[in-house]
Every structure is written in structure tokens, then in C-alpha cells.
Amino acid sequence: RKEVEQDPGPFNVPEGATVAFNCTYSNSASQSFFWYRQDCRKEPKLLMSVYSSGNEDGRFTAQLNRASQYISLLIRDSKLSDSATYLCVVSAYGGATNKLIFGTGTLLAVQP
Amino acid sequence: DAGVIQSPRHEVTEMGQEVTLRCKPISGHNSLFWYRQTMMRGLELLIYFNNNVPIDDSGMPEDRFSAKMPNASFSTLKIQPSEPRDSAVYFCASSLRAGGETQYFGPGTRLLVL
């Protein structure tokens, strides 16, 4: 089983749609969680951290369910500029290590 | 404020040649990471350093790969000899400190081994 699993997509949605991505992780001791965004032929960039209570940043909402080892990202009112690959990222385990494990990503294509 | 700097941005070489990739982390960051990204395998961690010391190199594919960090502002990843299956995008990233901190990526080096 992969340490971080995501649906690779692609998700093809019209502008203005709401889209949700899911991710599961295998290490119950993981303490840090992130969503990164990667545009075509570019480097990954931090989109948002994910907190236990859930957090929102504009049109983006991230949720964490530790019991189910599940992370989600919701994008509301999607824009053409949201088209990218979204990477679910989990720390290897708690403590001093700072290894991050990246999922293979979910491709989002927002259509006009 | 400069981000992570990598060079070269593109490299085309022939099988058997030595390849050296370079990285300058963000000033003040204590951790540096080398990743490889391919379509088939996604983003894989090769090695990471804390305070210039290699901490985990379990992702380095084989002895042909080596990495060094002689000081806080410079790291190299070397492949000798290179093989066609090494073709990938190699990213360097840095973070402020240990403990699952946010990592900031450089633009990557696109390597093609013929």
C-alpha cells in the first residue's frame, strides 16, 4: 500500500463548479499535512497546510480526519487558473524528522 | 527575496557521462532536500540534509548517485555514470527547520540522458 494515495484524475469541471479531492495516508503517527499545487512544467508550491479543525483560505477548504486517516480539499467556484495538479503531502511521522511524503497528485482541468 | 536556485535548468547528456546538478537553498533554511519526479513514479525523495549533514539517503537509487552539502548555501547531486533511466526532473527544496515544516522548491533541472 502506498503511504499517500490520491485519485489521479483527471477531474474535468466547468468554471464555477465545486470540486473535491480526497487523499488517504497509511502512517497514523503523521503530524503534518499539506496540499501543494503543481502547474505544468513548474515546481510544486504550497497551497495550504491542513489542520485538525479544518481550515479555509478563500475558495479553498481543507479537512483532516485522523481517525480515518483521510484528507480532503474542496475548491468552490473554480476558475480556469485553478487548473493544475494537486499534491497531498504528509509528514513521515511525528518528531524531529522532516521527511514529507508526496502523493502522485490529482489533475484538475477547469473548462471554460 | 530569492527562492531556491537550481542549475542548470536543462541538461542533455549521453549515457555514461557524469552529470552534476547544483542547488542554493533559501538563506537561513537549515534543511535541504533532493527529489526526482517522473510520470511513472511521481515525486520521490532521494536524500535530505539537516545543517549540512546527510540524514536520510535511503531514496538514492544506487551507487551511481551521490550528494554533498559542503556548506549551508550549496549542495550538489551527482550521477556517474548516467543512464537513460535517470531522465527525470530533479528538484531541490529547502525548509526552515526539522519537524514536518513547509518545503520550498526550486524550479528543477530537466535531465535527459540519451
Side-chain angles (χ1 to χ4, degrees):
Chain A
R1 181 184 173 189
K2 289 183 181 178
E3 291 185 78
V4 179
E5 296 207 55
Q6 295 182 250
D7 180 344
F11 283 60
N12 294 299
V13 303
E15 273 187 289
T18 295
V19 60
F21 305 138
N22 303 318
C23 165
T24 57
Y25 61 96
S26 61
N27 192 332
S28 60
S30 296
Q31 295 293 323
S32 301
F33 308 90
F34 309 90
W35 283 100
Y36 275 68
R37 170 190 168 132
Q38 186 172 21
D39 293 300
C40 186
R41 301 182 69 81
K42 297 288 189 180
E43 70 274 23
K45 291 184 179 179
L46 177 68
L47 177 65
M48 57 197 302
S49 300
V50 186
Y51 304 116
S52 296
S53 55
N55 48 300
E56 188 174 304
D57 182 3
R59 297 181 294 108
F60 298 83
T61 301
Q63 297 280 351
L64 169 64
N65 184 322
R66 286 187 184 272
S68 301
Q69 293 178 210
Y70 171 96
I71 305 164
S72 66
L73 177 68
L74 183 77
I75 305 175
R76 292 181 299 279
D77 188 24
S78 53
K79 313 289 186 190
L80 294 175
S81 57
D82 294 334
S83 297
T85 297
Y86 290 83
L87 303 167
C88 176
V89 186
V90 176
S91 63
Y93 60 87
T97 186
N98 54 350
K99 279 177 65 169
L100 296 181
I101 308 299
F102 286 75
T104 53
T106 298
L107 179 62
L108 171 66
V110 181
Q111 314 289 341
Chain B
D1 188 20
V4 176
I5 298 171
Q6 290 186 248
S7 65
R9 295 292 302 276
H10 300 87
E11 178 82 24
V12 180
T13 191
E14 292 187 344
M15 182 174 63
Q17 297 298 307
E18 177 179 295
V19 175
T20 299
L21 311 181
R22 298 173 176 79
C23 176
K24 176 179 169 56
I26 293 172
S27 178
H29 281 194
N30 295 320
S31 298
L32 182 140
F33 308 81
W34 282 102
Y35 291 88
R36 176 173 69 177
Q37 188 174 40
T38 60
M39 288 292 292
M40 292 300 295
R41 301 171 68 93
L43 199 61
E44 301 174 282
L45 178 66
L46 300 177
I47 184 171
Y48 81 91
F49 297 82
N50 276 349
N51 297 315
N52 312 338
V53 176
I55 300 301
D56 184 343
D57 65 354
S58 59
M60 296 286 261
E62 49 199 272
D63 291 345
R64 297 184 299 105
F65 285 68
S66 62
K68 294 182 180 179
M69 192 165 186
N71 57 62
S73 59
F74 184 67
S75 177
T76 60
L77 177 68
K78 186 173 292 187
I79 308 173
Q80 167 64 20
S82 58
E83 296 182 3
R85 59 190 167 127
D86 301 330
S87 298
V89 182
Y90 291 81
F91 288 106
C92 176
S94 69
S95 70
L96 192 57
R97 53 182 175 265
E101 288 283 331
T102 302
Q103 294 179 17
Y104 299 86
F105 284 74
T109 295
R110 294 185 176 277
L111 174 64
L112 178 61
V113 183
L114 302 173

